[in-house]
Amino acid sequence: MPKTLPTAPFEGANENLSATTAPQDVSREDAATFDVLRKMREDILCCVLKPDQKLKFGELRLRYDTSVGTLREALSHLVSEGLARTEAGRGFQVAPISLADFLDLSELRVYLETKTLADAIRHGTDAWEAEIVSSYFLLSKLAAPRPDDPLSVKQEWGKRHKRYHDALVATCRSPWSLHYRSELFDQARRYHWLTMIHSRLHRRNEHLEIRDAVLARDSDLACSLMEKHIRTTVEQAVSDVPGLIRGNARALRPAGRRKS
Amino acid sequence: MPKTLPTAPFEGANENLSATTAPQDVSREDAATFDVLRKMREDILCCVLKPDQKLKFGELRLRYDTSVGTLREALSHLVSEGLARTEAGRGFQVAPISLADFLDLSELRVYLETKTLADAIRHGTDAWEAEIVSSYFLLSKLAAPRPDDPLSVKQEWGKRHKRYHDALVATCRSPWSLHYRSELFDQARRYHWLTMIHSRLHRRNEHLEIRDAVLARDSDLACSLMEKHIRTTVEQAVSDVPGLIRGNARALRPAGRRKS
DNA sequence: ATTTTCGAAACTTTCGAAAATATTGAATAA
DNA sequence: TTATTCAATATTTTCGAAAGTTTCGAAAAT
């Protein structure tokens, strides 16, 4: 049973209110733990750790060179973000992916991306515009990765892509919307990664179109382009990622093959 | 640097897809850890652990009778949920609250609650209706708590209130919407708690009205009632919770007074 | 009186090993 | 053959303590 905490009893709650904002996003956490968390997240997003893969502490300890305690902490975080799962006493595994999941999260993304974008445009500043210009520039320097590009190129493109999309909505005033938008964007990155690996389809320069609509403060156009951007991505994944559309996805499993 | 993981290299990703759904909500986690997590969450929601309060491991260890490792894991989870914060090397604290935060999260709640409710009505089953009837019944057995009711009554009402609202949207088909709806509902509970403590306002039986609209499958009415339900709650908090509306909230701080 | 310095105390973070639990595979029984 | 038991093995979970930071406060200096 819980022992008592040496703290004043709580009666009225008329005291104790603060004024700051709400969800804590990626801020610098505990140096080491956060480092492991970031690396693991990146590895899951890039499918280095594959969907459904069992995450054994033994292997993880070697890979990230840290202790189980630190690993558990990071894994716990990933579970909340929906990138991993855990079950009572049988450890952790990478969260599964599925067409249904991708459709579901994309639908919510359309709402959150357009909502935050509209609000960001409404409250845009010079610095906001500058970061959009700058991050778009960096993104445009890298052509959209092809299936045979090396991993590092794909990863760098992924980083710049995220930075650009973050820049677009940076001045949105709703911390909660931004927080969930960011989580879903990361979720979608796993599917983007699979698409990048499989699809050779060349898309017209949607990022440029969005940038220009945003800088022109044309909220309706920008949002409608953004919506199309997301939906096109879904269609591309559906048509080009084998196994995603069929229910047989279950047949294609993690890395682990049974031994002997 | 990361040592190599003894795992087959990842080239095509044409393998490895699974079919299940996405976010892992509150499912049974690791018995002990999850227990601590649940208790801490409840304590934060009921302001036993007050906004901005420093969460020291020494005290927490006594209160929850567990080790620091387990505590860190739970705290890590709470940070992801937005109920706690942490900063590099100076520990954890309960997430702050503010009017701006409450307004922001309530706005998003209106969208998610109505969206999930509409979808739940669309896919409602007999079992769904039965749980709504049953959870409403349990809720109605307890009159809305008054400021001077004992803590345990307020807590029990909170549980039944949550169960009822969960029941309403249970058949919604969007796991991501449900997941975020649930997180925001919990967030709102902190503010509800403060309202319960301060307000003597008697509200008409909104839960009954919503129940009947839902059972009648009148989606438009149900959603509009739900929206009003949420907005009324905000207004009640704004008018009855002292310190919430004024910016001076900062003056009213945690429990900790300096010693000697 | 105010600021700065420095050492002690308080607290957080990280780790490795012990305890608990689940999984595997071989031997036995149906 | 198929199912079951049981012990050996592998893996997860929990804990306590060492190592590393930050905070606090008294003494020295301005």
Side-chain angles (χ1 to χ4, degrees):
Chain A
M1 71 202 88
K3 296 155 194 167
T4 45
L5 183 70
T7 271
F10 189 68
E11 299 144 319
N14 0 19
E15 47 217 8
N16 279 50
L17 302 181
S18 150
T20 21
T21 46
Q24 177 172 65
D25 239 333
V26 202
S27 94
R28 118 174 20 104
E29 209 156 322
D30 329 295
T33 295
F34 181 56
D35 225 53
V36 172
L37 171 61
R38 214 173 29 181
K39 278 183 196 150
M40 279 187 61
R41 176 159 41 212
E42 204 56 31
D43 286 342
I44 291 176
L45 295 182
C46 296
C47 298
V48 172
L49 301 174
K50 308 182 199 175
D52 280 315
Q53 179 178 339
K54 183 99 208 293
L55 296 168
K56 296 188 208 166
F57 286 96
E59 297 175 357
L60 261 44
R61 236 161 64 68
L62 292 178
R63 186 176 232 282
Y64 300 104
D65 190 30
T66 186
S67 71
V68 284
T70 304
L71 281 170
R72 282 189 74 84
E73 207 180 316
L75 285 167
S76 188
H77 231 288
L78 290 170
V79 169
S80 302
E81 289 175 30
L83 288 171
R85 339 216 100 206
T86 178
E87 210 179 334
R90 71 196 60 156
F92 294 80
Q93 60 186 111
V94 178
I97 63 177
S98 70
L99 177 60
D101 178 58
F102 190 36
L103 292 177
D104 181 34
L105 77 87
S106 295
E107 210 53 53
L108 198 47
R109 265 197 78 204
V110 167
Y111 175 76
L112 287 173
E113 290 282 3
T114 55
K115 184 191 160 175
T116 51
L117 183 57
D119 198 55
I121 289 174
R122 204 169 301 126
H123 300 105
T125 61
D126 284 356
W128 167 72
E129 293 185 355
E131 170 64 11
I132 290 174
V133 170
S134 152
S135 61
Y136 173 77
F137 175 80
L138 287 170
L139 178 61
S140 67
K141 297 272 281 188
L142 253 52
R146 300 314 206 72
D148 37 359
D149 281 331
L151 184 111
S152 63
V153 168
K154 294 195 188 103
Q155 281 185 326
E156 182 58 29
W157 188 87
K159 277 204 190 89
R160 297 188 186 190
H161 186 230
K162 181 170 174 59
R163 177 172 167 189
Y164 168 71
H165 274 275
D166 283 351
L168 289 175
V169 299
T171 50
C172 169
R173 298 281 183 82
S174 166
W176 281 105
S177 299
L178 282 176
H179 175 69
Y180 290 143
R181 184 211 75 91
S182 172
E183 274 194 17
L184 287 180
F185 186 89
D186 274 350
Q187 285 289 336
R189 281 177 69 187
R190 295 214 293 166
Y191 296 93
H192 294 169
W193 187 266
L194 294 177
T195 306
M196 268 203 282
I197 280 171
H198 290 290
S199 178
R200 301 188 158 277
L201 181 67
H202 189 64
R203 291 168 67 167
R204 70 179 199 293
N205 200 335
E206 299 167 28
H207 291 129
L208 178 60
E209 294 171 15
I210 292 173
R211 186 200 74 171
D212 289 339
V214 168
L215 292 182
R217 308 286 178 123
D218 186 339
S219 189
D220 289 345
L221 178 59
C223 289
S224 117
L225 287 172
M226 179 64 81
E227 173 166 358
K228 229 172 262 165
H229 184 58
I230 295 171
R231 296 200 187 283
T232 305
T233 306
V234 173
E235 283 159 24
Q236 194 180 358
V238 166
S239 69
D240 291 352
V241 177
L244 189 57
I245 201 170
R246 302 174 307 172
N248 78 336
R250 180 153 308 246
L252 319 160
R253 263 296 168 89
R257 54 312 68 178
R258 301 285 163 267
K259 65 181 143 194
S260 101
Chain B
M1 74 202 87
K3 294 157 193 167
T4 45
L5 183 70
T7 271
F10 189 70
E11 298 144 324
N14 359 20
E15 49 218 5
N16 280 51
L17 303 180
S18 149
T20 19
T21 47
Q24 178 171 63
D25 240 332
V26 200
S27 97
R28 116 177 21 105
E29 209 156 322
D30 329 296
T33 295
F34 182 55
D35 226 53
V36 172
L37 171 61
R38 216 175 25 184
K39 278 182 197 150
M40 280 188 60
R41 177 160 38 210
E42 205 56 33
D43 285 343
I44 291 176
L45 294 182
C46 296
C47 299
V48 172
L49 301 174
K50 308 183 200 173
D52 281 315
Q53 179 177 340
K54 182 99 209 290
L55 296 168
K56 295 187 210 168
F57 286 97
E59 298 175 357
L60 261 45
R61 235 160 67 68
L62 292 177
R63 185 176 232 282
Y64 300 103
D65 190 29
T66 186
S67 70
V68 284
T70 304
L71 280 171
R72 282 190 73 85
E73 205 180 318
L75 285 167
S76 188
H77 230 286
L78 290 171
V79 168
S80 303
E81 288 175 29
L83 289 172
R85 340 215 101 206
T86 179
E87 211 180 333
R90 61 194 72 156
F92 295 79
Q93 59 185 108
V94 178
I97 63 177
S98 68
L99 177 60
D101 178 56
F102 191 36
L103 292 177
D104 181 33
L105 77 87
S106 296
E107 209 54 52
L108 198 45
R109 264 196 79 203
V110 167
Y111 175 76
L112 287 173
E113 290 281 2
T114 56
K115 182 191 162 175
T116 51
L117 183 57
D119 198 56
I121 290 173
R122 204 170 299 126
H123 300 105
T125 61
D126 283 356
W128 167 72
E129 294 185 355
E131 170 64 10
I132 290 174
V133 170
S134 152
S135 61
Y136 174 77
F137 174 79
L138 287 170
L139 178 60
S140 66
K141 297 272 281 188
L142 253 52
R146 299 315 205 72
D148 38 357
D149 282 330
L151 184 110
S152 63
V153 168
K154 295 195 188 102
Q155 280 185 327
E156 182 59 29
W157 187 86
K159 274 202 189 89
R160 296 187 187 189
H161 185 231
K162 181 172 172 62
R163 178 171 166 191
Y164 167 72
H165 274 276
D166 283 350
L168 289 175
V169 298
T171 51
C172 168
R173 297 282 183 80
S174 166
W176 281 105
S177 299
L178 282 176
H179 174 68
Y180 289 142
R181 184 210 76 90
S182 171
E183 275 194 14
L184 286 181
F185 186 89
D186 274 350
Q187 285 289 336
R189 281 177 68 189
R190 296 213 292 166
Y191 297 93
H192 294 170
W193 187 265
L194 294 179
T195 305
M196 269 202 284
I197 280 172
H198 290 289
S199 179
R200 299 187 159 278
L201 181 68
H202 188 66
R203 292 170 65 167
R204 68 179 199 294
N205 200 333
E206 298 167 28
H207 291 128
L208 177 60
E209 294 170 15
I210 292 173
R211 186 200 74 172
D212 290 339
V214 168
L215 291 181
R217 308 286 178 121
D218 187 339
S219 187
D220 288 345
L221 178 59
C223 288
S224 116
L225 287 172
M226 179 64 80
E227 174 167 357
K228 232 173 261 166
H229 184 59
I230 296 171
R231 295 201 188 282
T232 305
T233 305
V234 173
E235 283 160 22
Q236 194 180 357
V238 167
S239 69
D240 291 353
V241 177
L244 190 56
I245 201 171
R246 300 175 307 170
N248 78 336
R250 179 151 308 242
L252 319 158
R253 261 300 167 86
R257 58 308 70 184
R258 300 286 164 266
K259 68 181 142 189
S260 99

